[in-house]
Amino acid sequence: MEPTKVVVKYANGKVIKGFIQNFSPNKDWFHLFPADNPSGGTIEVFVRRLKAFFVVRDFYGNPQYNERKKYIEGESPSGLKLEVTFADGEVMVGSTLLSYDPKRQGNFIIPADPKSNNIRVFVVSSAVKSVRQLFDNLE
């Protein structure tokens, strides 16, 4: 299995870019191979300390790009359309592959903007302030 390119954001604001393999949403931790030292050792990352981790297209993205925070009329992604507000105030709009369960330690969200640098995001439940389901007539 190929390593997955991620940006890990801790609840305290710390950010680490790197690669993960064999992540399981049911495990309390995973190993991260830091991008700035890929041949070095791994870092043990405890999910409970995170805000989220972002599976990304590249580590740099486009700082000038303003990511769309809503769905365009006619877009109908699989799963539920959600607005997730993190404890730090950041808002993310996307859809779930399955269901969203705040009792799980985290949930995967696919961003509403297909041009986002984020392919999918593992949102850690303890870092979420609120979740709101979006309906076509409210967007």
Side-chain angles (χ1 to χ4, degrees):
M1 178 181 274
E2 260 196 57
T4 302
K5 195 180 299 185
V6 298
V7 174
V8 173
K9 290 190 179 179
Y10 285 83
N12 68 5
K14 181 179 175 181
V15 175
I16 302 176
K17 298 173 182 180
F19 302 90
I20 59 174
Q21 278 184 301
N22 302 330
F23 169 77
S24 170
N26 301 321
K27 287 175 67 176
D28 294 334
W29 56 273
F30 59 90
H31 286 108
L32 178 75
F33 299 86
D36 59 359
N37 189 12
S39 60
T42 62
I43 297 171
E44 202 170 65
V45 176
F46 291 92
V47 175
R48 72 178 178 273
R49 295 183 180 156
L50 300 180
K51 170 183 174 178
F53 74 76
F54 301 78
V55 177
V56 295
R57 299 179 201 290
D58 67 62
F59 289 129
Y60 307 104
N62 178 354
Q64 282 75 45
Y65 184 71
N66 191 10
E67 186 172 325
R68 177 167 42 100
K69 302 282 187 188
K70 64 180 182 176
Y71 285 98
I72 295 173
E73 187 176 336
E75 285 183 324
S76 54
S78 299
L80 299 173
K81 294 181 192 177
L82 301 174
E83 178 185 84
V84 177
T85 303
F86 289 95
D88 67 3
E90 180 182 359
V91 175
M92 175 183 298
V93 174
S95 63
T96 62
L97 290 175
L98 302 169
S99 62
Y100 185 94
D101 184 352
K103 293 181 179 82
R104 289 195 294 253
Q105 81 172 340
N107 295 271
F108 277 107
I109 304 289
I110 298 169
D113 187 345
K115 295 180 182 173
S116 170
N117 189 45
N118 300 318
I119 298 167
R120 66 183 180 277
V121 181
F122 186 75
V123 173
V124 177
S125 296
S126 61
V128 172
K129 179 181 176 183
S130 65
V131 177
R132 181 172 70 96
Q133 185 173 354
L134 301 174
F135 298 95
D136 289 331
N137 61 350
L138 297 177
E139 301 172 327

